[in-house]
Structure formats: C-alpha cells, structure tokens
C-alpha cells in the first residue's frame, strides 16, 4: 500500500524528500554538496545565529540542563518559562501568554478548548494547515470563507452564527504561502457584530510588521486570541498563545497538546527571550525584511509585498521543481511549494527575505530570475 501511494505521488510530481543540509550559517546553506544563498528560510531577522542569542541559549543549558524532563504540569515548568511568558505578554499588549511545544501544537491544542460540537468555526480558505487541524479536532461545524472576502464571511456569519452556542473566526495574520495580510480590522468588526471570537495565527508577522509587534498591532486590532511561533523571527523553537488571564489559565488546564507534552528545552526559551529583547531594541532590523521584499518586487515588476514573503506563481508542480533546480544551479536555495500546501495549478517559488540578506544579494537574485526567464 505504501509503495503504491509513493508511486502515485511521484507520477504527480508531488513526491518530497529530505535534503541533507550539511551546515546552515545565516542565509548560507549547503544542499547536496552545493553552497547556496537561501531565500527560503523563515529566520526573518537572522536571530537564530545571533551571537547574543547563542550565548544566552548556551548559558541556559549549563544552568538548567538540556531538557525540561517532563510536561509543564508535572515538573517541566522551569524558571525560564515565567520570565519569557511575562515578557511576551507585555510585548503583545496582553494580560498573559502561554508557550507550547510548537506553533502546530499551539493551534491544535487551543482551538478545541474554545470550540466544540455545539459551536461553529469560520476559517479563511487559505489558513495554515494547523488551523484547519485544530478546527477539525474541535468537532465544531466548519464554514470556510473565500480568501480575505469580507462579504462572504459576513454572509456566512449571518446565515450560521445564530444556530450555534459559540463562534470562532480563524485566520492567518500573514498568509505563509502568499505573503498577504488578512484585513483584521474588518474581520474584528464582523466578529463583534456577530458575537464571535477572533483568533489570529501571526507566525509570519511577529518580528516583521508593526515594529516587530506583529500584524494585529500594525493594523490597530486586538484579537481575542493571538497565536505565533518562536521558530521564525525569534530564531528559536516553540509556539505561544496570548490573551487574557482567563484564556491562558483555561489553556493550562484543558489544552491537551500542552498538558500531555514535555516542556521545551531551557535553551529554546532562553534563545527566544534574548531574541525578543533584540526585537524590542532594534526596530530597524524588523523593518529590513519588508524593505528588501519591496526592492525585489519593484525590480521584477511584481505587486508590492505586504510582508517578507513573496510568491512567484509557476503553475504545475514539475515546472516549479524545474525552476527550483535552475535557481539552485545559479547559487540560490528557493524551494518550490506544491499542492496540497497550495491550491492546484498554483505551484510556486516562495521567496522569503531576511534582515541578514544584503541589497546586492537581492539584486543578484533578481538578475538570475530574469536570465532564466522566470520573471512575469
């Protein structure tokens, strides 16, 4: 059975493999023995290799050990958790924050706590897979609205909200494969009108938008539930949810992906905390990824970007893989994204920009894209 399924994936040009990356240093990567400049990392601020972050993480290992040793509710809630969660809550202008083992775990644990079989969830059709996974685990009725289509969302709310106990609206802040932002002000207004809660996954907005505070801050909105990761702009690993004291206390008691998972290693919390301090002190670092994305788009005649993520739609999976190979031969790592991660016939190259990229790197990438005939 497994072999048959693999053959089907190969025939559809959807088979994936893990590439051995011998070493990663900033945006420099080594794939299949080739030295490449990566435009596929989500390390938007280059903090995963920042000397201060590394020193802080190393000290945490020396002080607290390499592992939490147990779930947080047993004995794995080491002192670094309280310090980081308090700092993160203040940074997100929330009463409290709660760290999970990953962003995926945060979403699949949080959504079922706030929605169940008697409730309804409204979710953007292009929301991240872990938001859909959490919605499915909740056993609530799921209503998908067309991407960023407020008229459709309003229609669905008017039609379905009244028949359910509670309602929850789910959306990305920055959509990870398209790089566009959700219109959070409009969604928030609809949520209030129809007595629904709004949860925003801002994994790709934190550290990049709103002087680093994220998409909701940049749009002047305060959602009921704000989720994000420690593994992108913060250069570490883990996930979080920020909200009221009551929200966080309930999650501590009922989020299964927190209760039944070993706590994060102390080094991950220490690194994330150090990165958060750098973000707070260096707004110019936070502004740089979007500035480089704008340079890229302007040079290639692409629409102005809304984040550090820029897609170049290719079409078929095979053409996208061919484009990836051509850029690799030119010295760049730009990974092709294929269905089911993106809709059919929208396979693409996904470019992500980091504060550690140089203008000359972006210009050289643009020239290679033009030379290879990949530009629009």
């Amino acid at each position: 059975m497994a072999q048959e399924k693999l053959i089907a994936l190969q025939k559809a040009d959807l088979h994936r493999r893990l590439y051995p990356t011998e070493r990663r240093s900033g945006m420099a990567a080594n794939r299949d023995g080739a030295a490449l400049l990566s435009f596929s990392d989500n390390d938007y601020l280059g903090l995963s290799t920042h000397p201060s972050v590394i020193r802080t993480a190393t000290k945490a290992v020396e002080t607290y050990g390499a592992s939490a040793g147990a779930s947080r509710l047993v004995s794995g809630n080491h002192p670094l958790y309280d310090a980081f969660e308090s700092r993160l809550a203040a940074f997100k202008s929330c009463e409290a924050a709660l760290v999970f083992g990953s962003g995926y775990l945060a979403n699949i644990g949080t959504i079922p706590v706030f929605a169940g079989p008697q409730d309804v969830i409204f979710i953007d059709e292009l929301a991240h897979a872990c938001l859909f996974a959490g919605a499915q685990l909740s056993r609530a009725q799921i209503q998908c609205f067309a991407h960023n289509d407020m008229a459709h969302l309003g229609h669905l709310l008017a039609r379905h909200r009244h028949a359910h106990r509670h309602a929850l609206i789910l959306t990305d802040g920055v959509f990870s494969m398209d790089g566009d932002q959700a219109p959070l002000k409009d969604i928030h207004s609809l949520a209030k009108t129809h007595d629904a809660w709004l949860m925003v996954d801002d994994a790709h907005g934190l550290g990049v938008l709103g002087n680093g505070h994220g998409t909701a801050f940049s749009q002047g909105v305060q959602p009921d539930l704000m989720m994000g990761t420690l593994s992108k702009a913060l250069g570490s690993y883990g996930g979080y949810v920020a909200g009221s004291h009551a929200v966080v206390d309930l999650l501590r008691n009922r989020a299964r992906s927190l209760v039944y998972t070993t706590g994060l290693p102390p080094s991950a919390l220490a690194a994330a905390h150090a990165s958060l301090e750098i973000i707070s002190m260096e707004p110019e670092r936070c502004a740089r990824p979007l500035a480089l994305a704008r340079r890229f788009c302007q040079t290639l005649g692409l629409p102005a970007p809304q984040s550090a993520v820029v897609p170049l739609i290719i079409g078929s999976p095979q053409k996208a893989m061919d484009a990836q190979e051509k850029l690799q031969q030119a010295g760049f790592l730009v990974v092709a994204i294929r269905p089911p991660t993106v809709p059919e016939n929208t396979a693409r190259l996904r470019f992500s920009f980091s504060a550690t990229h140089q203008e000359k790197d972006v210009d050289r990438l643009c020239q290679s894209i033009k030379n290879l005939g990949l530009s629009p």
Side-chain angles (χ1 to χ4, degrees):
M1 182 189 298
Q3 190 62 39
E4 291 175 357
K5 291 185 176 182
L6 284 171
I7 291 172
L9 287 174
Q10 290 165 352
K11 287 182 177 179
D13 296 313
L14 297 178
H15 183 260
R16 291 158 170 82
R17 70 183 179 96
L18 295 175
Y19 293 86
T21 301
E22 296 173 14
R23 182 173 176 82
R24 176 182 170 276
S25 178
M27 292 300 110
N30 190 305
R31 175 172 282 198
D32 288 343
L36 306 170
L37 181 62
S38 177
F39 280 89
S40 281
D41 275 55
N42 293 324
D43 188 7
Y44 295 122
L45 304 180
L47 296 179
S48 70
T49 54
H50 192 286
S52 177
V53 175
I54 292 172
R55 284 195 300 270
T56 304
T58 301
K59 184 177 179 181
V61 173
E62 294 171 346
T63 304
Y64 298 103
S67 169
S71 69
R72 294 189 63 183
L73 292 178
V74 177
S75 62
N77 196 48
H78 50 76
L80 296 177
Y81 269 110
D82 286 343
F84 176 67
E85 287 172 340
S86 295
R87 182 67 181 93
L88 179 61
F91 187 76
K92 298 297 291 182
S93 300
C94 290
E95 292 179 356
L98 185 67
V99 169
F100 288 75
S102 71
Y104 203 104
L105 290 173
N107 277 334
I108 67 170
T110 298
I111 295 167
V113 171
F114 292 97
Q118 296 176 286
D119 305 320
V120 60
I121 289 174
F122 302 88
I123 183 169
D124 190 290
E125 64 179 348
L126 296 186
H128 194 273
C130 58
L131 285 175
F132 275 97
Q136 290 162 352
L137 285 171
S138 75
R139 295 184 293 159
Q141 183 183 118
I142 298 174
Q143 296 289 336
C144 289
F145 59 93
H147 179 53
N148 281 348
D149 188 331
M150 296 300 96
H152 190 212
L153 174 58
H155 170 75
L156 291 176
L157 282 162
R159 183 176 181 181
H160 298 284
R161 169 64 186 99
H162 66 89
H164 297 84
R165 181 185 57 176
H166 300 307
L168 183 62
I169 303 174
L170 304 177
T171 183
D172 294 18
V174 170
F175 290 86
S176 60
M177 293 298 119
D178 291 273
D180 56 338
Q181 296 182 33
L184 295 181
K185 277 191 174 181
D186 293 336
I187 298 176
H188 189 256
S189 178
L190 284 170
K192 295 303 179 186
T193 298
H194 293 276
D195 188 26
W197 271 29
L198 171 60
M199 178 174 176
V200 177
D201 179 334
D202 205 30
H204 296 270
L206 180 71
V208 178
L209 302 174
N211 288 327
H213 293 270
T215 310
F217 182 90
S218 72
Q219 296 189 27
V221 177
Q222 191 74 3
D224 303 284
L225 296 162
M226 287 189 284
M227 174 270 166
T229 74
L230 316 182
S231 57
K232 295 178 174 62
L234 290 180
S236 182
Y237 191 75
Y240 70 86
V241 173
S244 67
H245 286 301
V247 160
V248 168
D249 197 21
L250 182 60
L251 288 173
R252 287 193 197 102
N253 283 273
R254 285 292 180 263
R256 296 174 67 85
S257 60
L258 176 89
V259 174
Y260 300 109
T261 303
T262 298
L264 282 172
S267 56
L269 270 297
H273 199 153
S275 292
L276 193 60
E277 296 304 329
I278 293 171
I279 289 173
S280 301
M281 295 184 294
E282 299 182 16
E284 68 282 358
R285 181 187 289 266
C286 300
R288 186 167 172 78
L290 181 54
L292 292 174
R294 286 172 175 157
R295 185 184 186 96
F296 175 81
C297 291
Q298 185 175 12
T299 302
L300 293 179
L302 296 170
Q306 297 181 27
S307 70
V309 175
V310 177
L312 184 59
I313 307 300
I314 303 295
S316 74
Q318 183 57 58
K319 288 181 179 179
M321 292 299 292
D322 290 344
Q324 173 184 307
E325 179 60 27
K326 289 177 180 178
L327 280 178
Q328 182 166 327
Q329 292 174 4
F332 299 101
L333 177 59
V334 184
V335 175
I337 307 297
R338 296 166 285 167
T341 305
V342 294
E344 293 290 336
N345 301 316
T346 68
R348 65 197 64 189
L349 295 175
R350 177 190 181 272
F351 298 85
S352 54
F353 296 87
S354 168
T356 59
H357 285 130
Q358 301 300 312
E359 283 79 2
K360 64 180 181 180
D361 298 330
V362 176
D363 294 343
R364 188 164 60 90
L365 173 64
C366 289
Q367 190 59 54
S368 293
I369 290 172
K370 290 179 179 179
N371 292 343
L372 294 169
L374 299 175
S375 56

